[in-house]
Amino acid sequence: MSAIDEARPDATEAEPLAAEPPAIPLLNRVAAELVGTAALVAVVVGSGIQATELSRDVGLQLLANSLATVFGLGILILLLGPVSGAHFNPVVTLAEWWTGRKDPKGLGPREIAAYIPAQIVGAIGGAILADAMFGKPLVEWSTHDRTAGHLLLGEVVATSGLVLLIFGLAKTDHLRFAPVAVASYIGAAYWFTSSTSFANPAVSIGRAFTDTFAGIAPSSLPGFIGMQLIGGVVGLALVALVFTHRRKATAK
């Protein structure tokens, strides 16, 4: 007899115990990551194109781009978070694997190998879709150079803050606020970081496929992606530094 049965001696075969909900199949989770990342990049690129066609004021263009991203990202997290966790970002996926590597229910190599390619393919597809909607060449490599050192520093700050936010919410049992909190952070980071907060290797790759307002030159990708990965490590270090007391309290 199991411990659960001992705790409920009145349970019978006619009254089965409530079972743990079945895990969501990997195919569904990967599909959610692909579709979500594609939609996110379509929002970022499409709103950037629309903004440049409606105004020549760069500040107004960035405002329109950031607002559309805030609303779009919040909705996507709300919709797809219950399916895949709504990572849409290889850094978040890798951070999730690292923090849960000792948990049998955490992400494993199989999920990593499926999530990250899906995110990249989705990001490229989203950029192509946005270009198609606005009558632009489907694939036109961006010429927007972003190799300056201060932009790379901005990516470290943007990505580390994003990781700190997401995993801080998890540590404090506030993940239900992720749609609003994460979208708000990205909206703010558009303005307070020098790089306008890409903070996402997959999205960065997708944005290289469009020579529009939101694009990034392929030659700038290695630096941006490298800084995003460093930002992910810094973010996890900050989580450990700030929220160590949560682990100690749980252990008592």
Side-chain angles (χ1 to χ4, degrees):
M1 180 178 289
S2 69
I4 295 178
D5 288 332
E6 291 176 356
R8 290 190 53 186
D10 57 332
T12 65
E13 292 183 0
E15 183 189 3
L17 295 176
E20 182 177 332
I24 296 174
L26 180 59
L27 178 61
N28 298 107
R29 288 181 280 152
V30 171
E33 287 297 302
L34 189 151
V35 171
T37 312
L40 174 59
V41 174
V43 168
V44 172
V45 174
S47 62
I49 297 172
Q50 185 80 286
T52 57
E53 291 185 351
L54 295 176
S55 173
R56 293 186 179 181
D57 185 323
V58 177
L60 192 56
Q61 292 170 356
L62 186 61
L63 178 60
N65 192 210
S66 61
L67 284 176
T69 302
V70 167
F71 295 137
L73 180 58
I75 290 169
L76 289 170
I77 295 173
L78 183 65
L79 175 65
L80 300 174
V83 180
S84 67
H87 299 182
F88 314 147
N89 187 335
V91 169
V92 174
T93 297
L94 290 171
E96 170 110 358
W97 163 74
W98 178 258
T99 57
R101 64 192 184 281
K102 296 180 181 179
D103 183 356
K105 296 182 180 180
L107 289 183
R110 182 165 167 257
E111 285 83 3
I112 297 290
Y115 270 40
I116 293 178
Q119 292 160 353
I120 294 172
V121 171
I124 295 171
I128 293 173
L129 176 60
D131 282 339
M133 286 192 293
F134 287 92
K136 304 292 184 182
L138 297 185
V139 175
E140 187 174 19
W141 299 116
S142 175
T143 56
H144 195 157
D145 179 76
R146 299 177 189 264
T147 56
H150 66 281
L151 300 181
L152 299 179
L153 175 60
E155 278 303 285
V156 175
V157 172
T159 312
S160 60
L162 177 63
V163 170
L164 174 61
L165 171 62
I166 293 172
F167 290 89
L169 289 174
K171 290 286 187 182
T172 55
D173 299 321
H174 287 138
L175 268 178
R176 62 188 179 280
F177 299 117
V180 172
V182 173
S184 298
Y185 172 79
I186 292 297
Y190 257 84
W191 292 90
F192 80 76
T193 65
S194 56
S195 63
T196 65
S197 185
F198 282 47
N200 186 327
V203 168
S204 300
I205 292 171
R207 290 168 67 166
F209 282 71
T210 177
D211 193 20
T212 57
F213 180 78
I216 177 174
S219 60
S220 300
L221 285 178
F224 258 54
I225 293 174
M227 293 304 103
Q228 289 158 359
L229 293 173
I230 290 173
V233 173
V234 172
L236 286 178
L238 290 173
V239 172
L241 178 66
V242 174
F243 296 102
T244 304
H245 68 285
R246 300 287 299 184
R247 184 169 62 244
K248 291 180 179 178
T250 304
K252 289 182 180 180

